[in-house]
Every structure is written in structure tokens, then in C-alpha cells.
């Protein structure tokens, strides 16, 4: 079964562990790949993306675990999100998460809609009290809305799930882990999705179909190990 997490942080930005340490725990928890999505903004995108790319090369070499360089565009004004996302991608980030309008901190209003209208974005992270308009824009641009395992960011998971179902937008579950012990396990992932109010059918779509769709959209190939029966 595929098991992915598109939103994790390391000491490259504000995480507490080195990429290799995070990746080791991902491997122990049964992840199909390691995805490093450290924070970037206009001031840090130029130096952090090369570090993220290098860290992923190191992980795939040392751990024999596929590793995908990504970013979380964080604390960027709505009108500049597209520019930073494009720059991150041009520098080697293969996936782009945007730090959405969580109720856990004070992001700028308009950020959800700006991210949802940007085709360089893959995931709108913890979108808080997202509007139907922003969810529809995300749907139309092939962007997944995030169910978050992280504290206050996850307080609106039920709302995000409800709005996504109303407009037909797609969901994905991420940890937003800043330390190894906050990474997901299959059991925890299931609890979080059930706790967001998803029925079994929708739950399976989110945990299996969504991650593969996100990777396929960018042509990222990750071998999925099938359990031997
Ligand atoms: Zn952070
Ligand atoms: Zn984050």
C-alpha cells in the first residue's frame, strides 16, 4: 500500500532533525518515499532549495529510499506566491506545498485563493476555514487540500473535508512534522482521516489515490513495494 507524506521539515529550515534522521524514521514507519518540504520564502528560496535537493540525493543514496525535493512556500504575500513557487520549481523542487490560511497562526487573508489559482502548486497546506471559492479554484487547478496532523493546523480538518466534498476538491493527509516522532504511522493516518469525518470510501481515496495522483501530475516515479502475501 502506498504511504506518503508531502509536508515535513528538517533543520534546513525550522525542523529539529537533519534530513537523514527524518528519512530514517520515515523508512521505519513504512513510508514509500521521503519528501523534504522545508519552508521557503523570497529571502530563502535561493539557498534552501539546493540544500533540499542535496539532502534528498544523500537520502536516496544512503537509505535506498526514494527521496523527493519539495518546498513549503511560507509567509509570502498572496500576490507573490506564484513567483516564489515558480522559482522553487525552477531550482529543483519537484513538489510545492503552500502554507495556507491555518487558524494556528496569522497568515495573510487571500493566501488560500492565491495558492489555489497557481498551477505550480501541488498542495494547499492546512487551509483553515477555506471558502468554497478557494476550494473550487484548487479543484480546477488540480491542487490537493491538506488534512493536517499538526496541532492547531488540524483543528479545521472537519471543515476542510466538508468543503472539499461539497465542491469535489481532492484531499491529502500530511504530518507537517518538525521532528521524527511527529511523522505519520499507518494507524495514526487512519485515525486522523476518520477523525476528519471521512467515510471509508473517501478515506481510501485520500490515503491511496491522492498521493499517487500528486506524484503522477509531476511525472515523479516512486516504486511502491507491494507486501508479499
Ligand atoms: Zn515550520
Ligand atoms: Zn509546514
Amino acid at each position: 500500500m502506498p504511504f506518503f507524506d508531502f509536508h515535513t521539515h528538517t533543520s534546513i529550515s525550522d525542523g529539529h532533525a537533519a534530513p537523514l534522521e527524518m528519512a530514517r524514521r520515515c523508512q521505519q514507519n513504512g513510508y514509500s518515499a521521503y519528501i523534504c518540504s522545508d519552508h521557503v520564502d523570497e529571502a530563502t528560496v535561493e539557498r534552501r532549495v539546493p540544500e533540499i535537493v542535496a539532502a534528498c540525493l544523500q537520502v536516496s543514496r544512503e537509505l535506498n529510499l526514494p527521496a523527493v525535493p519539495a518546498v513549503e512556500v511560507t509567509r509570502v504575500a498572496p500576490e507573490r506566491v506564484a513567483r516564489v513557487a515558480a522559482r522553487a520549481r525552477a531550482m529543483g523542487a519537484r513538489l510545492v506545498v503552500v502554507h495556507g490560511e491555518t487558524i494556528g497562526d496569522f497568515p495573510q487573508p487571500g493566501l488560500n485563493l492565491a495558492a489555489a489559482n497557481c498551477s505550480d502548486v501541488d498542495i494547499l497546506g492546512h487551509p483553515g476555514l477555506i471558502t468554497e471559492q478557494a476550494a473550487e479554484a484548487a479543484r480546477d487547478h488540480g491542487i490537493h487540500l491538506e488534512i493536517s496532523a499538526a496541532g492547531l493546523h488540524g483543528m479545521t480538518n472537519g471543515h476542510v473535508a466538508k468543503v472539499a466534498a461539497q465542491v469535489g476538491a481532492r484531499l491529502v493527509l500530511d504530518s507537517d512534522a518538525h521532528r521524527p516522532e511527529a511523522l505519520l504511522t499507518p494507524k495514526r493516518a487512519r485515525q486522523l482521516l476518520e477523525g476528519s469525518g471521512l467515510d471509508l470510501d473517501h478515506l481510501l481515496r485520500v490515503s491511496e489515490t491522492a498521493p499517487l495522483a500528486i506524484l503522477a501530475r509531476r511525472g515523479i516515479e516512486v516504486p511502491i513495494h507491494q507486501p508479499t502475501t
Side-chain angles (χ1 to χ4, degrees), residues 9 14 39 176 178:
H9 298 284
D14 62 349
H39 299 284
D176 202 349
H178 285 68

Side-chain angles (χ1 to χ4, degrees), residues 6-9 13-14 37-39 71-75 97-99 125-126 146 148 150 153 175-178:
F6 296 93
H7 189 162
T8 72
H9 298 284
S13 63
D14 62 349
S37 49
D38 269 304
H39 299 284
V71 291
E72 180 183 15
V73 175
T74 310
R75 279 175 249 295
V97 180
V98 172
H99 185 94
H126 40 63
E146 186 183 72
S148 177
H153 294 336
S175 71
D176 202 349
H178 285 68

Side-chain angles (χ1 to χ4, degrees), residues 98-182:
V98 172
H99 185 94
E101 291 180 53
T102 170
I103 61 166
D105 54 32
F106 304 97
Q108 271 182 269
L111 206 47
N112 280 349
L113 194 57
N117 276 309
C118 174
S119 46
D120 274 320
V121 174
D122 298 290
I123 295 171
L124 176 50
H126 40 63
L129 295 170
I130 186 169
T131 60
E132 278 195 19
Q133 186 199 9
E136 282 167 355
R139 176 200 64 201
D140 295 345
H141 290 87
I143 295 166
H144 283 67
L145 305 179
E146 186 183 72
I147 298 291
S148 177
L152 282 171
H153 294 336
M155 293 290 283
T156 51
N157 284 343
H159 170 80
V160 174
K162 190 179 79 182
V163 174
Q166 272 163 7
V167 307
R170 288 185 291 185
L171 296 169
V172 67
L173 170 71
D174 290 323
S175 71
D176 202 349
H178 285 68
R179 50 181 82 238
E181 53 275 26

Side-chain angles (χ1 to χ4, degrees), residues 49-126:
V49 176
E51 278 193 64
I52 294 166
V53 170
C56 287
L57 279 173
Q58 185 194 27
V59 164
S60 53
R61 223 177 20 236
E62 302 226 354
L63 300 184
N64 192 28
L65 178 69
V68 182
V71 291
E72 180 183 15
V73 175
T74 310
R75 279 175 249 295
V76 171
E79 62 273 20
R80 292 194 291 274
V81 161
R83 195 196 309 161
V84 177
R87 187 65 192 138
R89 207 172 270 294
M91 296 193 69
R94 303 201 65 195
L95 293 166
V96 175
V97 180
V98 172
H99 185 94
E101 291 180 53
T102 170
I103 61 166
D105 54 32
F106 304 97
Q108 271 182 269
L111 206 47
N112 280 349
L113 194 57
N117 276 309
C118 174
S119 46
D120 274 320
V121 174
D122 298 290
I123 295 171
L124 176 50
H126 40 63

Side-chain angles (χ1 to χ4, degrees), residues 10 18-29 31 33-35 55 59-60 63 65-67 180 183:
T10 74
L20 204 53
E21 214 179 323
M22 292 294 282
R24 264 200 196 100
R25 184 67 71 97
C26 289
Q27 199 166 37
Q28 283 167 12
N29 290 12
Y31 280 38
Y34 170 59
I35 299 164
V59 164
S60 53
L63 300 184
L65 178 69
L183 289 162

